Amino acid sequence: MSAAFTVAVQTARFDPGAEMAQLAGLPDVGAQVCFVGQVRDFGDSQAVTALELEHYPGMTEKSLLAILDQARARWPLAAARVVHRVGYLPLGEAIVLVLTASAHRGDAFAACEFIMDYLKRDAPFWKKEHTAAGSHWVEAKHSDQQAAQRWQ
Amino acid sequence: MSAAFTVAVQTARFDPGAEMAQLAGLPDVGAQVCFVGQVRDFGDSQAVTALELEHYPGMTEKSLLAILDQARARWPLAAARVVHRVGYLPLGEAIVLVLTASAHRGDAFAACEFIMDYLKRDAPFWKKEHTAAGSHWVEAKHSDQQAAQRWQ
Amino acid sequence: MTTLNLLYFARLRDALGCGQETLTLDGAATVASLLDALRARGGVWAEQLDAARSFRVAVNQTVAHAGQALADGDEVAIFPPVTGG
Amino acid sequence: MTTLNLLYFARLRDALGCGQETLTLDGAATVASLLDALRARGGVWAEQLDAARSFRVAVNQTVAHAGQALADGDEVAIFPPVTGG
């Protein structure tokens, strides 16, 4: 059922409730875990007012699907989905959704966190932070490299 | 901001999207993790058609709030919420929602899984499984005891 | 005299055929002496509350140990291991 | 002759002042020989693509290592470490 493993890159908002509702009917699913990342007021800078997300069209989708494949190889998943927004995203806006569904909660939790950690390390998105003082590209974080490494 | 740490026990359905949307505006929140447990077709029995959830009114809420307090003492959380349904829940229905919000994703993931593991061990709910062959009370699982123990 | 409000839940309530009762014990009481008094009823009471069986006791909605003292008016709940979520 | 479609993203595109270009190299090419050819332009090219700098190369939308051979028509993207999510 590979139709249950999908990714989307879009400027439009997503609806976490609607995404989760789509998986509510699967009879062998006992657990869903949904991660949502949103624009917060601090990052490399303080007082961030917005982010701008750029991506590499084509490679982004390939990269996200490859991450879902890695997750499926590790945990018994009934479904998984990634939605990542691009473009201009003001403070408080949702950026990314990662949703996993499995028979057991432990697998759903682990796979969701794994997908998010690998996305941060491998998927070709770049963030620019906007503040009152100007804008600049966000630097890659060592902590994100470490987060992905602990799954190896 | 202890108003951001709430629990509810109810027969009515809950709306994960609406629950998550309530936390979307918090400026220092970068990550939300939402767990939803739902009725699946196998448990102690195969071909489960429904669950019946009983609880201990009063103690349930106290117990859930105590678990949220333990989570807050371990991780920097901006908000956390548990909604647990009781009564008759057919196959596919959502049973429980655990939602956490934090500046960083690692804390939101860990706290959400911790709350769920402690809920399974400590909160006074009991499940009865219905199948075509009859109904019976679900036995407590050793795996749930172990899941809670690994946080100690 | 210690008058207690006793509650039973789930499998245990079904097995005992009782969801709630009021019980008065002579003199000072503990969780352990309450359980002894209930087991002394024999039959399903002795069987279900046997020390080898798995059940929990909460006093005033907090899980309690066997040595815990009981006060007049306490709410004491006896129930199987929990299975929510 | 190896004609490549080159793409630059984010901070690197801003610094190089270029988002896309077509480049033809003489004879066989690898990721390493492409990078040498770009550095040979001097200025920001030499500076931004210095081996000590942190950047990645993808060939046909898959991350590549320095020794990877390039074929005529390949899409080669050069970009900073990713920061999505």
Side-chain angles (χ1 to χ4, degrees), chain A residues 54 56 84 125-127 137, chain D residues 10 13-14 60 75 80 83 85:
Chain A
E54 177 175 333
Y56 178 0
H84 202 300
F125 293 99
W126 299 275
K127 273 180 187 156
W137 292 102
Chain D
R13 180 201 53 230
D14 288 355
N60 299 326
E75 175 178 297
T83 56

Side-chain angles (χ1 to χ4, degrees), chain A:
Chain A
M1 229 174 69
S2 63
F5 294 83
T6 59
V7 304
V9 179
Q10 60 192 42
T11 54
R13 287 181 172 167
F14 51 74
D15 178 348
E19 298 287 350
M20 296 181 87
Q22 294 217 326
L23 305 182
L26 299 176
D28 54 347
V29 168
Q32 289 191 44
V33 174
C34 180
F35 171 86
V36 171
Q38 62 193 50
V39 182
R40 63 172 183 229
D41 60 3
F42 68 96
D44 284 5
S45 314
Q46 297 299 312
V48 171
T49 56
L51 289 181
E52 214 172 313
L53 263 294
E54 177 175 333
H55 77 302
Y56 178 0
M59 180 170 171
T60 319
E61 291 81 356
K62 263 176 79 164
S63 159
L64 295 175
L65 286 168
I67 293 168
L68 293 192
D69 281 343
Q70 289 176 275
R72 293 173 71 179
R74 285 172 172 247
W75 295 280
L77 300 178
R81 177 157 169 79
V82 176
V83 184
H84 202 300
R85 293 176 69 196
V86 292
Y88 183 84
L89 300 175
L91 182 61
E93 281 288 303
I95 305 166
V96 57
L97 172 146
V98 177
L99 177 59
T100 56
S102 185
H104 300 285
R105 73 183 185 283
D107 296 330
F109 269 113
C112 190
E113 195 165 11
F114 170 93
I115 292 166
M116 195 56 215
D117 286 346
Y118 272 51
L119 183 158
K120 283 255 179 192
R121 188 190 64 180
D122 294 343
F125 293 99
W126 299 275
K127 273 180 187 156
K128 192 184 253 184
E129 283 179 358
H130 291 269
T131 69
S135 68
H136 59 270
W137 292 102
V138 171
E139 292 295 322
K141 275 165 201 58
H142 184 58
S143 60
D144 285 327
Q145 294 294 317
Q146 289 179 310
Q149 268 161 21
R150 79 201 150 106
W151 299 102
Q152 282 158 5

